[in-house]
Amino acid sequence: MRGTRKAIDSSNDMKQTLYRSYRRLVIGRPVLALALVALTLLALSLGLPNFKLDASADSLTLENDVAVDYFREVSKRYQSGDFLVVTFKPEQDLFSDQSLALLQSLQADLAGVEGVIGINSILTVPLLYSPVITMSELSEPKNLLSPDVDRTAAKREFLESPIYRDMLLGPDGQTTALLLNLAVDETYIALVRERDGLRARAKTTRLSVEEKAQLAATSAEFLAYRTAAAEAATARVESVRAIVAGYKDRAQIYLGGVTMITADMISFIKSDLVVFGAAILLFILVLMTVIFRHWVFVLLPVLTAVSSVVMVLGWLSWIDWRLTVISSNFVALLLIIGLAITIHLIVRYRELAVAQPDWDQAQLVQETVQFMFKPVIYTALTTMVAFASLVVSNIRPVMDFGWMMVIGLTVAVVLSFLIIPAGLMLVSPAALRPKQDNDGSSAITLRFSRFTERFGGTVLVLSLAVAGLSALGISQLKVENRFIDYFRPSTEIYQGMTVIDDALGGTVSLDILLDGLPESVELNTSNDDPFNEVDAFDVQDPFDAPEPVLEADPFGEVDPFSEQNPAAAPRESYWFTSAGLAQIEFLHDYLESLPEVGKVQSLATAYKVARDVNGAPLNDFELAVLRQSLPDNIRDLLVAPYLSVENNQARITLRVKENDPNLQRAALVEKIRRYATQNDLGFKSEQVSFSGVLVLYNNMLQSLFHSQIVTLGVVFLGIALMMSLLFRNVLLALIGILPNILAASVVLGVMGLANIPLDMMTITIAAIVVGIGVDDTIHYIHRFRREFEIDRQYLPAMHRAHASIGRAMFYTSVIITLGFSILALSNFIPSVYFGLLTALAMLAAILAALTLLPQLILMFKPFGPAAAGPARD
């Protein structure tokens, strides 16, 4: 017992010592306090020139997702780098001399862009059907620029041939595409693999000193390289845009591709940070001027909030911790939460100034700080818990966002208790004392308390109805969304993606990898089957095979060159045999039948071309000879991207139409897997793998829903525990958490009912709702308890709480709701959703805090029984 008392006394002594030091510095020497803040702000802001945004693939994928490493391996194995698409529709006929000359000039200019290793277009690809060439002519095929080429036949080939259909020429015959192939960045892959390998080892074993140093050096080298690569990619897009701009007066031209999407996302985010950040700040200045009507009460809160943002951004820049599409929202959130803290301080100061006209400035400021310290700390801690819960998401940008908000809130609280008190000490109280209360906010907030008093039952019924409707909306939440939905229809990127999806094969890539040898299968073909030339094939596991069955040729003899002939040399790859190619073709044609799928490319394309050129199906020997004798340009076009002999693997690559309204990435992948493994194609599930941008983004999306559930659970559990500790009353903690659950449910329910999907930005909404809403809850409960202690009467205490702390809650709600609504004007749709949903969150939170929360307090009386006798109003 003595030890406990001694610890308590020691803690109290420390608190008193800290408070005396704070009072001497901030209240006693305000100029010095502000000077220290200014110096710190200056030092940190010097790092802002190094500020960077990151929209790389790493920022849009799951932490430690094995699919990411597999994607890199596939890219390296098949040398399939990213690509840019330039669509071209001239004013004159596309196949006229003038249009082809213009296209040739554009292609020559684009070929000089750094990082472009080749361009596929109607000008350069080999023509194999104009007319159909013979096997001997494969070595020197013509192209559209060759003399005496029949352009009408070439146009038909681009529209109908298995190679170019849905890839180079749109159905209108006038819109074409230039595919700018980009080199695979093998240095990037090597560095990221080395870094990730060391990171993985660090999680399972203790790294040696040398390994830790290696991890630090590799991480730094990779970050520097990734920065340079990102800058080069951005410069490449800008170079392409600059070149294209010189041709737009003679043709309709759009840009597309994943690199383009990334570049535009970064551009829109930067624009939103500057334009809408400034617009929100200006709007807040106007609103606060209208509300407080004194420049000091406007300048100090805005200065505090802006300083906290600048300090954190500066610090992040110094340590090279980059903002992503998700964490870029932290700037706006930190700004409004910082303002909310300072507004509560300002409102309390103004209340004291009116109630205690004889106090000097030091007394007013000191009492304001003492009265507001606990509720501000309580709200900050619980808000930090809400944002810290995002760490469990396993999505690196979401995790970073959570940590950034925790750090930012800490800075905002510290600056609020430095700048506001010190700034007030430099002004006379007579100049700041409000002469009258005519802003109408007190009357508005009192209307809520009177409504609650008269219609408490209605409040509960409405709350239950809203909860039920929200539950219905939550049940309809989905995680499917499309890149094209991130942009407004008026933007160039949206229009370009639409043209590419509708006419030129789709935007986002999906790879299907077929590994090893399939089981023994027999294709049941019919007259309608495109493979009716194949009656059956029988493929055995080479490690567990019976005596080989000799293959009969069409003349009834044993083909001495058949790969099933024990005297023949072993084949180089099963997938380039008639049996393997038939299987691939069967799956290839199925993929082409799917409405979400655009261009499909695989070895089946080469198989169809060879069959057309030869006039009949080729046997295994002929296929082997063909593959070895193909000229490099045709091999690189039809074989190399789709066959890995060393890994006994075939690759089918397809592009998905982002503008298909029924696109569901997870369902599409599962449908393809099910077809490949359950339709007599002979593939085991483990032999069929998927890769590509679609898979990586889909993995992230599918994780969002599970992450949202886990995040919400952690948020509410953490805040309930925090409020139990803070108020030392479990019932009061439960009462306090219910309005926040309702507010979060309303926002998620509206998303479900409005068909707004969970994505990389809206996943943070739940934490934001709770983080903002819990501020109002704690401030209100804290003030209600103070007012209840005056006369121990619940109804009068509710009215007084609404008239006092309710005003500060009203101010912050109006400012946040209207300020964030400005984001609705953004061209980046995730920013639009973020702004509107945050505004809705604030509206739901304030309504719940001013109606449901006081009604629950009146019902359950968590502060104890009311006293008998007259109440004080």
Side-chain angles (χ1 to χ4, degrees), residues 514-518 571 573-581 583-584 603 642-644 648-650 683 687:
L514 306 174
D515 292 299
L517 294 178
R571 63 187 173 218
S573 173
Y574 162 77
W575 297 114
F576 212 81
T577 65
S578 57
L581 289 169
Q583 284 182 281
I584 293 173
L603 289 175
Y642 315 111
L643 176 66
S644 175
N648 196 22
Q649 183 182 75
F683 296 112
Q687 290 180 297

Side-chain angles (χ1 to χ4, degrees), residues 237-247:
V237 171
E238 292 306 314
S239 296
V240 172
R241 273 202 165 114
I243 291 171
V244 164
Y247 291 83

Side-chain angles (χ1 to χ4, degrees), residues 84 86 103-121 124 178-182 236 239-240 243-244 247:
L84 283 168
V86 177
L103 180 61
Q104 187 175 12
S105 174
L106 174 60
Q107 179 168 320
D109 290 343
L110 292 173
V113 174
E114 186 175 356
V116 175
I117 59 173
I119 298 179
N120 290 338
S121 75
T124 57
L178 295 95
L179 304 180
L180 280 61
N181 299 309
L182 308 178
R236 184 183 306 119
S239 296
V240 172
I243 291 171
V244 164
Y247 291 83

Side-chain angles (χ1 to χ4, degrees), residues 161-167 504-506 592 597-601 605 653-657:
S161 80
I163 311 175
Y164 308 126
R165 183 177 62 241
D166 299 325
M167 183 173 74
L504 298 167
E592 287 188 330
V597 174
K599 182 61 179 175
V600 181
Q601 295 169 292
T605 307
T653 181
L654 58 91
R655 284 188 275 153
V656 174
K657 298 177 180 179

Side-chain angles (χ1 to χ4, degrees), residues 114-137:
E114 186 175 356
V116 175
I117 59 173
I119 298 179
N120 290 338
S121 75
I122 60 173
L123 300 176
T124 57
V125 295
L127 297 175
L128 307 181
Y129 289 83
S130 306
V132 176
I133 65 176
T134 64
M135 296 289 287
S136 61
E137 294 174 318

